[in-house]
Amino acid sequence: MTKRRRATILVAMVATASLALAGCTSEQDKKEAAKAAAPPPQLSISPAANAKDLPISTEVGLTVTGGKVTAVTLTDDKGGKVAGSLRTDGSSWLPDKALKNKQRYTAQVTATNDAGKEVTQTTNFTTMDKPAKEIFSTLYFQDKRTYGVAMPVTVDFDPGVPKEKRADVQKRLFVTTTPAQPGAWHWTEDGQQVFYRAPDFWKPGTTISVKAMLDGVPMGKEGFGDADRSATAKIGNKVSLDIDNGTKQMSVFKNDKLVRKIPVSLGKPSTPTSSGKMVIMEKHEQTVFDTTGSADPYVVTVQDAQRLTWGGEFIHSAPWSEGDQGSTNVSHGCTNVSAANAAFLMRTTQVGDLVTVRGTEVQLDDGNGWTAWNMDWDEYVKGSALPVPQDLKPAAAPPAAAGAPAPSGPPSTNQPPAPAPSNPGG
């Protein structure tokens, strides 16, 4: 073979090797080059610089593209760091507790992209003075308690929260459950109560942690939220009471097994007991029913009383009506049982147990007690001020056949209960 021929073959081999090497690395090289050439993330934060008179519930708002937030620092005017965390959707950084009034704060936020390029922005703002008007809130969920499987997380507001502010308030309410049982919030029409529950009852043994971060939250012209509150509690065994006006009997179920039948006397026609799904709200070994100022005034001390409504419907011991229990309704709206059966119920039930009443002359009003279960899930989720997660939305109903009858059932009401004297009953 001539020298020229050998040289041509060698050049061809080198060229082929180079092409092969280029083919193996070019895509990776392109990715690395693209990463190196990528611009830093785009970041914007709020509040605007030098903003003044902001509520003490202020969060650091975050908008980032081409990267993610990797650091947030909020400091007061003395350099003290404020503890907090990112919301799960990354929309803001939330302080662990309300800020201080008339305080200047500085926020510094860093965002980073995959190439390690960073951008940092800083803003500062000053909080408002202590507000002159507050909306008082109550969290009906106490720390280290055991509740029934129907226990809704309930927050009460006085006065009620206007509709245009409910979404902002709802964003400040947090519930976590172990094991996980996602749920949704529902506002009563008057805005005085908001409930949280899952589509089905809590599983016995569930741990529920609640944070109502309402201190300083704007709630309309009536004022700002009064305080932050939190609690962690557990769910006990499943107990439910089913009261049938037709038979004048209460069926007591424990873990879905019937354990006792109890004769009852419900509300007489002039003061009927409400039909619907209620939840035991309070338990009293002794309490006083005082209806002074009503059309039917009386004051009476009762034993072993369990509240079902704000309007004053209780299950309680009524030895004076034992002759009527199981046959005739003679109460002022309460469920009367014998002293022995009332004592049994006090030993058996928990706050948060479901009580269902059927067949009386009136229906339970929305918000007259913890009425979160007095509607189906489709209706319940309509009361959320924020979009409900897709996996919690009701399944679409199939189209009704032409001429099909409308579904039957008790009418839904959104009227708040009439004001009642403290702790009435009968």
Side-chain angles (χ1 to χ4, degrees), residues 16-347:
T16 302
S18 298
L19 287 171
L21 182 60
C24 291
T25 61
S26 60
E27 289 302 319
Q28 183 64 29
D29 288 345
K30 288 179 181 178
K31 290 180 181 179
E32 293 296 331
K35 184 184 291 187
Q42 293 182 341
L43 172 66
S44 62
I45 64 176
S46 62
N50 300 312
K52 300 183 184 301
D53 294 325
L54 298 185
I56 58 174
S57 60
T58 295
E59 305 176 24
V60 180
L62 307 168
T63 302
V64 60
T65 55
K68 61 182 180 180
V69 172
T70 50
V72 179
T73 303
L74 183 66
T75 55
D76 59 28
D77 55 6
K78 295 180 181 178
K81 289 186 177 181
V82 177
S85 59
L86 288 172
R87 284 186 176 270
T88 54
D89 63 0
S91 61
S92 69
W93 185 88
L94 177 68
D96 286 347
K97 59 182 181 180
L99 304 177
K100 296 178 181 179
N101 291 110
K102 298 298 289 184
Q103 181 79 263
R104 182 179 172 84
Y105 290 91
T106 299
Q108 180 174 289
V109 181
T110 298
T112 309
N113 66 11
D114 291 343
K117 293 183 179 180
E118 295 182 349
V119 62
T120 298
Q121 288 197 10
T122 301
T123 190
N124 52 67
F125 59 92
T126 303
T127 54
M128 64 186 289
D129 202 350
K130 186 173 178 63
K133 297 170 68 176
E134 289 184 325
I135 290 183
F136 297 99
S137 61
T138 303
L139 173 62
Y140 288 104
F141 198 84
Q142 297 180 23
D143 202 39
K144 300 178 181 178
R145 289 282 302 271
T146 299
Y147 292 110
V149 299
M151 181 67 180
V153 176
T154 303
V155 185
D156 182 270
F157 299 91
D158 184 19
V161 179
K163 285 186 177 181
E164 66 271 15
K165 290 296 182 181
R166 292 177 194 173
D168 291 338
V169 173
Q170 191 172 318
K171 288 178 183 178
R172 304 283 294 190
L173 303 175
F174 304 89
V175 178
T176 57
T177 57
T178 306
Q181 295 165 81
W185 292 95
H186 172 96
W187 290 85
T188 56
E189 184 66 22
D190 59 11
Q192 291 187 352
Q193 292 181 99
V194 62
F195 307 119
Y196 183 93
R197 72 168 176 92
D200 203 352
F201 300 120
W202 304 119
K203 297 175 182 177
T206 296
T207 297
I208 302 176
S209 294
V210 183
K211 291 179 71 176
M213 302 180 68
L214 301 175
D215 195 0
V217 175
M219 297 188 189
K221 63 181 180 180
E222 296 295 338
F224 296 76
D226 62 334
D228 291 345
R229 294 179 174 84
S230 62
T232 297
K234 287 197 170 183
I235 300 301
N237 56 17
K238 185 178 182 181
V239 175
S240 60
L241 312 179
D242 192 287
I243 301 168
D244 186 351
N245 184 42
T247 62
K248 307 292 188 293
Q249 296 287 320
M250 173 194 295
S251 299
V252 182
F253 296 90
K254 191 170 184 178
N255 297 322
D256 296 320
K257 293 183 179 180
L258 180 65
V259 295
R260 184 175 289 201
K261 283 271 197 179
I262 295 176
V264 300
S265 178
L266 303 179
K268 57 191 175 183
S270 60
T271 53
T273 302
S274 299
S275 284
K277 293 182 178 180
M278 311 170 208
V279 175
I280 295 173
M281 304 166 66
E282 302 169 354
K283 292 165 60 99
H284 303 277
E285 292 184 0
Q286 178 175 296
T287 191
V288 176
F289 294 162
D290 184 352
T291 65
T292 303
S294 72
D296 187 7
Y298 61 90
V299 178
V300 62
T301 299
V302 297
Q303 311 296 321
D304 293 336
Q306 305 191 50
R307 181 186 285 274
L308 302 180
T309 72
W310 294 123
E313 296 181 38
F314 286 74
I315 299 169
H316 65 82
S317 171
W320 58 84
S321 70
E322 287 188 19
D324 295 301
Q325 291 165 21
S327 60
T328 308
N329 290 337
V330 298
S331 84
H332 292 82
C334 289
T335 299
N336 288 358
V337 298
S338 70
N341 282 325
F344 163 78
L345 290 171
M346 286 289 284
R347 296 192 304 268

